[in-house]
Amino acid sequence: MAGRSQDRSLREELTCAICCELFSEPVMLDCMHHFCKACIQGYWESCARVPSCPQCRCEFPSRAFRTHYLLSGLVEKVRRCGSAEHRHKMQKHLEDALQARQKEMENFLRRKRAAQEDICGLTKVSGELNFKIHAEFARLHQILEEEERAVLAELGEKEEQSLAQLNGDVHRLEEGMSVLQRDIERIEQILSKMEEVSLLEVESLDIKPSVHVKPQPAFDLEHYRDSCSGPLQYIFWRQMLRSICPAPAPLTFDPESAHPNLVFSRDLTAVTERNRAQPVPISPQRFRQCVNVLASRTFDSGQHYWEVWVGSKTKWDLGVAAEAVDRAAKVKLSPENGYWTLRLRNRTEYWATATPWVRLTPRRPPRKVGVFLDCQEGTVTFFDAGDMSHLFTFHQVSAERYCPFFSTCFSDGRDNMEPMRLCHLAL
Ligand SMILES: [Zn+2]
Ligand SMILES: [Zn+2]
């Protein structure tokens, strides 16, 4: 090996020509040759002549040499490296390094495999999402096309009706005109023979009253044009909204399920907590421990979406509850207990009440929260309904029947008095 032969030549360079060992306390003579200090001193002792270099025979006026510290350091290093102990240490060091790298290699391999699995998953899910988005847009296109056909059909019908009316007018007027034409010709004929006919004949001439065509109200072309104009895209978009699925559900609160402290607006779309119980009939449906309330609609299939105004309330809970939840007990809101909810605490802390809770960091405090329940998929998803940004999704949601769930939390004096409202899409 190159390394070994390099080692050898280095050792040779550092070997004393007298003792044939690695230099010990190397010194340099004026001729630039090196020897062990003891060796050169011994050599000079043994021959009483003028001191000379045993290698080049160069003679010196005195027994002078210079200690070569740099060389002695190098020799020490070479001596050490040659030792069995050093070799052993080096081997151990290398073995450790090898083991560490093998371990790291396994680690990298594992991470690479995980990343590759993620790539597969990502590609698969992207494909599914792609398909889904495509299908939703296809449905929108279909709705839009149906809407377009319906609007055009309506226009066609209007046109046909108006045409029928105008053509009728034309036809009746033409009939009247031909009657008039006949009358005119006849009267002119009589007039031309006025001199020849007897008075008796004139009197017997049958001049009927002129034909009458009832005038129709003038057709208003401007009105016809105006009735089919305006902000057409907005008009069609509003019509389209009727066909969208799921459209926001116009929910109302179910007072029978409400904790006695809760008070409702007359239309049952706003609720607030009053700090003391109202006189309410006893019902097994009623929440008795927490200031909770459900919506009057429940769901067991399909997809449903609703929006809840929380404004600047300082705390609240909302989401979905299983219809079967224990309403008499004070229960922790968690999926295990049949609750899939989002909550605000301490004005700024948003949590999904999964197990364990998940702290959410919305881009801005949501003032209107959208809840999407998909009974088939078993998911409950929350959005900031202001910009429809995603907040959190619960998976493996399962119950026989689902209820939209709300808790105003306590009003704490005036702090959290602002009512919670069910939003109805007002168009
Ligand atoms: Zn020597
Ligand atoms: Zn010499």
Side-chain angles (χ1 to χ4, degrees):
M1 265 166 35
R4 288 254 161 162
S5 79
Q6 252 171 13
D7 272 8
R8 219 172 3 253
S9 85
L10 183 62
R11 281 184 87 88
E12 275 163 19
E13 296 281 329
L14 299 176
T15 297
C16 170
I18 299 174
C19 64
C20 297
E21 296 286 337
L22 283 175
F23 291 124
S24 157
E25 287 187 77
V27 295
M28 186 172 73
L29 308 187
D30 285 346
C31 61
M32 310 289 271
H33 283 119
H34 297 84
F35 304 95
C36 308
K37 188 176 169 188
C39 287
I40 194 65
Q41 279 174 334
Y43 174 75
W44 282 341
E45 289 296 334
S46 65
C47 44
R49 298 184 298 125
V50 186
S52 65
C53 169
Q55 239 174 310
C56 66
R57 306 290 164 202
C58 180
E59 297 188 343
F60 310 112
S62 68
R63 295 182 178 185
F65 50 70
R66 270 169 284 162
T67 310
H68 202 312
Y69 294 106
L70 189 67
L71 196 59
S72 66
L74 188 59
V75 170
E76 267 324 293
K77 207 172 242 173
V78 169
R79 200 192 309 282
R80 230 182 14 250
C81 288
S83 77
E85 192 195 352
H86 179 77
R87 281 204 169 276
H88 186 72
K89 220 165 107 186
M90 274 309 287
Q91 187 173 352
K92 178 85 180 62
H93 177 70
L94 288 174
E95 279 169 1
D96 286 352
L98 178 68
Q99 209 175 18
R101 272 155 189 72
Q102 281 169 340
K103 225 177 200 166
E104 198 60 15
M105 177 69 101
E106 276 170 32
N107 179 22
F108 281 12
L109 210 69
R110 229 183 353 259
R111 281 162 55 187
K112 185 186 155 196
R113 231 176 279 139
Q116 279 170 330
E117 272 168 32
D118 285 347
I119 290 172
C120 285
L122 175 74
T123 315
K124 185 164 168 273
V125 169
S126 289
E128 287 166 5
L129 287 175
N130 198 298
F131 183 78
K132 196 169 157 184
I133 291 170
H134 195 76
E136 294 291 344
F137 268 102
R139 176 69 193 126
L140 284 179
H141 291 152
Q142 190 195 343
I143 293 172
L144 202 54
E145 276 162 19
E146 280 168 9
E147 198 58 52
E148 183 184 347
R149 272 199 293 278
V151 170
L152 287 176
E154 200 186 332
L155 175 69
E157 214 168 287
K158 248 191 215 173
E159 184 192 358
E160 212 169 291
Q161 271 174 13
S162 301
L163 274 179
Q165 187 201 322
L166 289 172
N167 281 328
D169 284 355
V170 170
H171 182 70
R172 275 189 297 279
L173 288 170
E174 278 172 354
E175 275 179 351
M177 280 162 72
S178 58
V179 173
L180 283 177
Q181 188 61 39
R182 276 202 303 278
D183 282 0
I184 288 170
E185 280 167 14
R186 189 149 164 262
I187 294 169
E188 278 175 346
Q189 202 180 11
I190 297 170
L191 271 177
S192 68
K193 293 193 285 188
M194 224 29 205
E195 300 298 314
E196 300 154 31
V197 293
S198 67
L199 251 144
L200 217 65
E201 229 176 330
V202 174
E203 221 155 281
S204 73
L205 266 175
D206 183 18
I207 306 292
K208 281 183 247 161
S210 181
V211 63
H212 182 72
V213 175
K214 197 177 158 209
Q216 297 295 320
F219 180 72
D220 190 341
L221 192 59
E222 281 300 303
H223 178 262
Y224 180 75
R225 192 206 311 277
D226 294 347
S227 70
C228 295
S229 313
L232 293 183
Q233 292 184 7
Y234 178 61
I235 292 169
F236 301 150
W237 176 68
R238 277 180 55 154
Q239 283 163 350
M240 206 176 142
L241 261 179
R242 287 190 305 238
S243 314
I244 277 172
C245 177
L251 298 180
T252 51
F253 291 112
D254 169 25
E256 200 187 335
S257 67
H259 185 275
N261 279 23
L262 296 178
V263 191
F264 298 91
S265 64
R266 196 167 297 164
D267 64 358
L268 297 175
T269 62
V271 60
T272 188
E273 194 269 339
R274 272 295 157 77
N275 247 329
R276 62 192 152 74
Q278 317 292 308
V280 287
I282 290 169
S283 163
Q285 311 295 319
R286 200 175 290 289
F287 284 98
R288 299 223 293 270
Q289 301 289 336
C290 302
V291 285
N292 301 342
V293 60
L294 302 176
S296 50
R297 271 184 77 185
T298 60
F299 306 110
D300 64 352
S301 62
Q303 297 178 324
H304 306 277
Y305 177 75
W306 60 93
E307 292 179 343
V308 190
W309 178 263
V310 290
S312 38
K313 282 182 78 62
T314 55
K315 49 182 175 174
W316 46 257
D317 303 78
L318 66 92
V320 174
E323 194 184 38
V325 291
D326 185 352
R327 304 182 192 189
K330 191 177 173 99
V331 189
K332 196 179 133 209
L333 301 189
S334 70
E336 295 75 48
N337 292 330
Y339 293 95
W340 301 272
T341 61
L342 223 63
R343 62 170 40 178
L344 170 67
R345 289 292 182 273
N346 303 323
R347 292 174 190 274
T348 55
E349 287 175 23
Y350 295 90
W351 298 91
T353 60
T355 312
W357 284 13
V358 177
R359 177 81 186 260
L360 306 178
T361 49
R363 275 181 280 187
R364 48 172 201 176
R367 296 169 70 74
K368 189 160 71 161
V369 179
V371 185
F372 176 60
L373 165 68
D374 189 329
C375 299
Q376 268 73 54
E377 290 283 320
T379 56
V380 173
T381 307
F382 294 89
F383 298 89
D384 176 344
D387 59 4
M388 290 311 284
S389 55
H390 175 255
L391 295 173
F392 188 80
T393 299
F394 284 94
H395 294 273
Q396 279 115 38
V397 171
S398 162
E400 251 178 59
R401 190 165 267 281
Y402 301 97
C403 309
F405 168 87
F406 317 88
S407 174
T408 57
C409 296
F410 288 115
S411 287
D412 295 340
R414 301 198 63 80
D415 249 22
N416 192 33
M417 264 253 299
E418 187 178 341
M420 193 179 238
R421 293 174 195 281
L422 286 167
C423 303
H424 292 188
L425 200 62
L427 278 177

